[in-house]
């Protein structure tokens, strides 16, 4: 018998091990795993044979129409949002450029550790239920239940919020023109945007993926434009101020701002204040874990998305934050004014990049930034509705939501999950005035904490996944992708994420010299209430459903894997035939090594 070629495109090899055999399709595994033998000698069922974890019902099947380039761009698009264009302003004012740079770099490493942990699990077993399924299989069904509902709740709040943000961005032009007629009614634009994102999601994941690819590409162009613009400003190449600033603002007023206190303690508090806002900016990168069930070639698409995400995080976030600190002093009155505007609305007026242009004497940038904000908020609303729909679908196929939400149409779209998630977005009609938007922002802060709890759950799932692999004698060489941090890196990232979560509300305990408050109970509740809610969901489910923690030797690492492997092998064979027997055309290779690193 001719031995198959057990190689991946990136040179990794597939090791054969007991209970597994490889197919001739680039080392992909065919599942022949059973449940083992019990202590009394009788056959013991595998975990997936006793629980409703993987549904083979064709009426609940997603379509694998997402291309590798689309998934990589969706991962980037999820991490590039208004957090970078707007929220960097308050961080700069409260913490200073040095604290921002260090804080965003540390949280960027945390984000990459989470992405890598998820990528390792997803490349091994690209389940339609995503990381909700990993928590269900490898840790405890109670964690899968809590994680799934938490993630759905998070995105049915952020979707209408981003619709409202888009409307407020549009209103900027009406306010600038002094127009307050019927055409300025925010409900009109809520209806238009909501109809648009529902249509994009309804026409199938292939259409959604292509549309989001181009929206994310526009985001990349915006980021590149801002990098070039801030470099020009820092070198004195634009505006009425032709003197190069360089690192002048790092010396005067300084790199580290004092926050809530004076001296070294105030500078440390300023640094720590960056952490929560940095997490908010990076949240969304993990949504690639939701797409694994619809990837054409998940064992190539997921590792590539993870690797490129790290490169893009470094290039766009770290470089842009460094340059922003060179262009705007943290004590600028114009920056303070922009931050005050950001408390009331979303528009170019609240962007620190507009402040940089104003300081340099450059006109005309606000309108450009406002167009960029509209692209960002519309893309965020579009992808948020996709995530909300797939999160509810995942809950349904795991048995944690009514089964009807797991039903798909002929395009592979969970149509009932899309209907309910879209219906929840209609609350945007009740929140089109600025005052309500400020109140609604409390809910956004609330679900942001749920976001980091999601990261914690992914890291716990990865730790349990590695334990299960070792208990079942699955070596690293058998995986298409292995986290470069390993299980120790996941432990370190888990501790770091828990520390950020525990101390995220520390400013509520510090005396506010402006208002005179010694304890901000409103923000304290918003900062910490997600934790008992999340723990309550986990332990409540355990008590009611009487679930137990999954033991490493019993964790289901193979349920549904054979079907996924067969589908991927069939896709690869079709691609080989279509390309005339080569794995990658010259055009695809040139794209991958050049523009593919950005787009």
């Amino acid at each position: 018998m001719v031995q198959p070629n057990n190689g991946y495109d990136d040179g990794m090899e597939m090791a054969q091990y007991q209970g597994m055999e490889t197919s001739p399709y680039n080392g992909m595994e065919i599942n022949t795993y059973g449940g083992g033998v019990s202590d009394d000698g009788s056959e013991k069922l595998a975990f997936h044979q006793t629980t409703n974890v993987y549904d083979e019902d064709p009426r609940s099947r997603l379509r694998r129409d997402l291309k590798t380039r689309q998934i990589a761009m969706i991962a980037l698009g999820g991490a590039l949002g208004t957090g970078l264009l707007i929220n960097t302003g308050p961080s700069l004012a409260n913490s200073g450029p040095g604290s921002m740079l260090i804080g965003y770099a540390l949280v960027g490493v945390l984000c990459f550790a989470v992405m890598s942990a998820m990528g390792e699990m997803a490349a091994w077993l690209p389940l339609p239920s995503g990381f909700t399924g990993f928590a269900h299989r490898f840790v405890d069904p109670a964690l899968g239940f809590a994680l799934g509902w938490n993630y759905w709740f998070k995105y049915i709040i952020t979707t209408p919020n981003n619709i409202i943000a888009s409307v407020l961005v549009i209103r900027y032009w009406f306010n600038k023109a002094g127009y307050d007629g019927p055409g300025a009614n925010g409900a009109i634009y809520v209806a238009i945007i909501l109809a648009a994102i529902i249509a994009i999601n309804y026409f199938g994941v292939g259409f959604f993926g292509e549309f989001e690819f181009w929206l994310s590409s526009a985001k990349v162009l915006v980021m590149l434009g801002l990098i070039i613009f801030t470099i020009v400003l820092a070198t004195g190449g634009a505006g009425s101020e032709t003197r190069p600033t360089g690192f002048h603002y790092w010396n005067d007023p300084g790199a580290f701002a004092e926050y809530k206190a004076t001296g070294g303690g105030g500078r440390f508090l300023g640094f720590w204040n960056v952490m929560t806002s940095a997490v908010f900016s990076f949240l969304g990168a993990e949504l690639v874990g939701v797409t694994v069930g619809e990837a054409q070639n998940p064992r190539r698409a997921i590792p590539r998305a993870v690797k490129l995400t790290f490169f893009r995080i470094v290039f766009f976030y770290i470089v842009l934050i460094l340059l922003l600190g060179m262009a705007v002093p943290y004590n600028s009155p114009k920056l303070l004014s922009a931050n005050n505007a950001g408390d009331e609305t979303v528009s170019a007026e609240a962007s620190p990049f507009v402040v940089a242009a104003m300081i340099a004497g450059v006109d005309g940038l606000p309108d450009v930034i406002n167009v960029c904000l509209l692209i960002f908020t519309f893309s965020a609303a579009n992808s948020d509705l996709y995530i909300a729909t797939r999160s509810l679908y995942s809950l349904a196929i795991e048995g944690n939501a009514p089964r009807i939400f797991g039903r798909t149409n002929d395009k592979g779209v969970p149509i009932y999950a899309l209907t309910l998630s879209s219906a929840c977005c209609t609350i945007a009609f009740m929140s089109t005035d600025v005052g309500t938007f400020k109140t609604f922002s409390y809910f956004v802060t609330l679900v942001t904490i749920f976001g980091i709890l999601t990261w914690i759950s992914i890291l716990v799932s990865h730790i349990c996944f590695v334990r299960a692999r070792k208990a079942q004698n699955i070596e690293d060489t058998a995986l298409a992708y292995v986290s470069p941090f390993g299980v120790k890196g996941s432990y370190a990232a888990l501790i770091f994420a828990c520390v950020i979560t525990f101390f995220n509300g520390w400013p509520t305990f510090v005396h506010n010299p402006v208002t005179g408050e010694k304890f901000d109970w409103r923000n304290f509740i918003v900062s910490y209430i997600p934790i008992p809610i999340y723990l309550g969901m986990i332990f409540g489910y355990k008590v009611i459903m009487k679930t137990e923690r999954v033991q490493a030797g019993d964790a289901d690492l193979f349920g549904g894997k054979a079907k996924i492997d067969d589908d991927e092998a069939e896709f690869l064979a079709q691609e080989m035939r279509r390309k005339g027997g080569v794995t990658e055309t010259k055009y695809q290779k040139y794209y991958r090594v050049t523009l593919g690193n950005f787009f």
Side-chain angles (χ1 to χ4, degrees):
M1 178 179 178
V2 178
Q3 292 297 318
N5 174 21
N6 299 332
Y8 283 95
D9 293 339
D10 58 3
M12 297 181 67
E13 295 184 351
M14 169 64 69
Q16 292 185 335
Y17 47 94
Q18 186 176 5
M20 299 288 293
E21 60 186 39
T22 58
S23 78
Y25 296 106
N26 292 330
M28 288 194 299
E29 315 88 339
I30 301 298
N31 173 25
T32 59
Y33 171 80
V37 178
S38 63
D39 295 337
D40 60 3
S42 60
E43 183 179 358
K44 181 173 68 175
L45 293 176
F47 182 76
H48 67 276
Q49 293 174 289
T50 59
T51 56
N52 185 25
V53 176
Y54 188 80
D55 193 353
E56 291 286 356
D57 187 348
R59 295 175 299 172
S60 296
R61 190 170 297 165
L62 302 173
R63 290 180 59 172
R64 293 188 177 273
D65 289 338
L66 280 178
K67 300 175 183 178
T68 300
R69 63 176 174 84
Q70 293 172 341
I71 292 177
M73 286 303 294
I74 288 172
L76 174 63
L80 291 179
T82 55
L84 187 57
L85 287 184
I86 301 293
N87 283 27
T88 46
S91 293
L92 179 61
N94 294 330
S95 306
S99 294
M100 271 190 72
L101 185 64
I102 297 171
Y104 271 79
L106 289 174
V107 176
V109 173
L110 171 61
C111 178
F112 182 51
V114 173
M115 291 282 291
S116 299
M118 183 186 60
E120 180 176 320
M121 296 184 289
W124 169 259
L125 193 60
L127 291 174
S129 53
F131 43 74
T132 301
F134 301 146
H136 189 113
R137 287 180 178 226
F138 307 146
V139 186
D140 192 312
L143 182 62
F145 170 83
L147 178 57
W149 281 110
N150 149 62
Y151 214 58
W152 183 72
F153 174 73
K154 177 179 185 291
Y155 280 98
I156 62 167
I157 292 295
T158 56
T159 306
N161 183 72
N162 277 306
I163 294 174
I164 297 164
S166 298
V167 173
L168 292 175
V169 169
I170 294 171
R171 184 174 289 175
Y172 165 83
W173 284 298
F174 290 119
N175 293 338
K176 184 179 178 180
Y179 176 74
D180 195 27
N185 188 341
I188 297 173
Y189 302 100
V190 169
I192 293 172
I193 294 169
L194 183 57
I197 64 174
I198 291 173
I200 293 168
N201 278 268
Y202 175 78
F203 287 121
V205 72
F207 182 80
F208 166 84
E210 192 65 17
F211 197 92
E212 198 59 32
F213 172 83
W214 290 107
L215 283 178
S216 296
S217 298
K219 290 182 179 182
V220 170
L221 291 175
V222 170
M223 294 296 104
L224 291 173
L226 288 175
I227 287 173
I228 295 171
F229 176 70
T230 48
I231 288 176
V232 172
L233 292 184
T235 56
S240 58
E241 294 288 339
T242 57
R243 178 180 59 86
T245 58
F247 284 95
H248 171 73
Y249 296 138
W250 284 59
N251 294 317
D252 182 19
F256 300 92
E258 297 174 350
Y259 182 63
K260 297 281 188 176
T262 58
R267 287 188 288 273
F268 174 77
L269 293 178
F271 159 73
W272 192 257
N273 184 62
V274 174
M275 294 301 178
T276 303
S277 59
V279 169
F280 173 78
S281 295
F282 285 117
L283 282 178
E286 78 285 344
L287 70 83
V288 67
V290 180
T291 68
V292 296
E294 297 173 283
Q296 290 180 342
N297 188 2
R299 291 189 177 91
R300 179 175 179 176
I302 302 305
R304 178 170 173 78
V306 170
K307 294 172 185 176
L308 288 181
T309 297
F310 177 68
F311 166 75
R312 289 159 172 170
I313 283 173
V314 171
F315 186 81
F316 291 117
Y317 271 92
I318 307 305
V319 172
L320 198 51
I321 285 171
L322 172 65
L323 293 171
L324 179 63
M326 297 168 64
V328 180
Y330 72 74
N331 63 351
S332 169
K334 294 178 181 178
L335 180 62
L336 179 61
S337 176
N339 293 340
N340 291 334
D343 291 335
E344 300 294 337
T345 187
V346 175
S347 73
E349 296 171 341
S351 175
F353 296 97
V354 172
V355 174
M358 292 169 62
I359 292 173
V362 177
D363 298 324
L365 190 65
D367 287 318
V368 176
I369 292 292
N370 219 52
V371 172
C372 299
L373 282 171
L374 185 58
I375 294 172
F376 277 51
T377 53
F378 179 82
S379 173
N382 186 42
S383 60
D384 287 353
L385 181 59
Y386 168 82
I387 299 168
T389 301
R390 296 318 187 267
S391 297
L392 186 55
Y393 166 84
S394 300
L395 285 164
I397 65 172
E398 295 288 351
N400 292 324
R403 301 290 291 177
I404 190 172
F405 297 119
R407 293 287 181 256
T408 57
N409 61 11
D410 57 350
K411 299 181 180 68
V413 176
I415 189 65
Y416 298 107
L418 175 61
T419 301
L420 179 60
S421 299
S422 300
C424 293
C425 295
T426 56
I427 61 175
F429 286 103
M430 299 183 292
S431 306
T432 54
D433 65 274
V434 173
T436 307
F437 173 77
K438 187 175 181 180
T439 302
F440 203 77
S441 297
Y442 277 111
F443 289 97
V444 179
T445 303
L446 186 76
V447 296
T448 299
I449 308 304
F450 277 124
I452 195 168
L453 291 174
T454 298
W455 284 9
I456 290 172
S457 301
I458 291 172
L459 292 167
V460 170
S461 299
H462 178 249
I463 291 168
C464 293
F465 172 71
V466 174
R467 287 178 180 172
R469 284 201 295 108
K470 291 181 178 179
Q472 299 179 31
N473 299 318
I474 301 176
E475 302 294 334
D476 288 352
T477 51
L479 275 68
Y481 176 78
V482 178
S483 170
F485 298 98
V487 70
K488 292 182 180 179
S490 289
Y491 273 114
L494 176 62
I495 294 171
F496 186 33
C498 289
V499 170
I500 293 175
T501 304
F502 185 77
F503 289 105
N504 86 90
W506 67 265
T508 62
F509 296 97
V510 181
H511 175 260
N512 190 327
V514 178
T515 63
E517 280 187 310
K518 293 184 178 180
F519 176 64
D520 186 354
W521 62 271
R522 295 177 185 84
N523 281 312
F524 172 80
I525 293 174
V526 171
S527 299
Y528 287 107
I529 195 65
I531 299 174
I533 290 175
Y534 198 59
L535 294 177
M537 293 174 70
I538 294 173
F539 291 108
Y541 187 91
K542 285 183 70 67
V543 170
I544 295 172
M545 304 303 294
K546 296 179 173 60
T547 64
E548 296 181 358
R549 180 181 175 182
V550 178
Q551 299 301 312
D554 297 328
D556 179 18
L557 298 177
F558 301 98
K561 190 171 187 298
K563 178 67 173 64
I564 296 171
D565 291 343
D566 289 344
D567 289 344
E568 188 170 21
E570 182 180 352
F571 168 77
L572 291 174
Q574 290 175 352
E575 287 293 288
M576 288 283 285
R577 289 193 295 269
R578 186 176 66 86
K579 297 175 182 177
V582 297
T583 58
E584 188 177 46
T585 64
K586 288 184 178 180
Y587 168 76
Q588 289 173 325
K589 182 178 179 179
Y590 291 146
Y591 173 81
R592 175 173 57 82
V593 299
T594 55
L595 291 177
N597 290 317
F598 294 95
F599 300 94

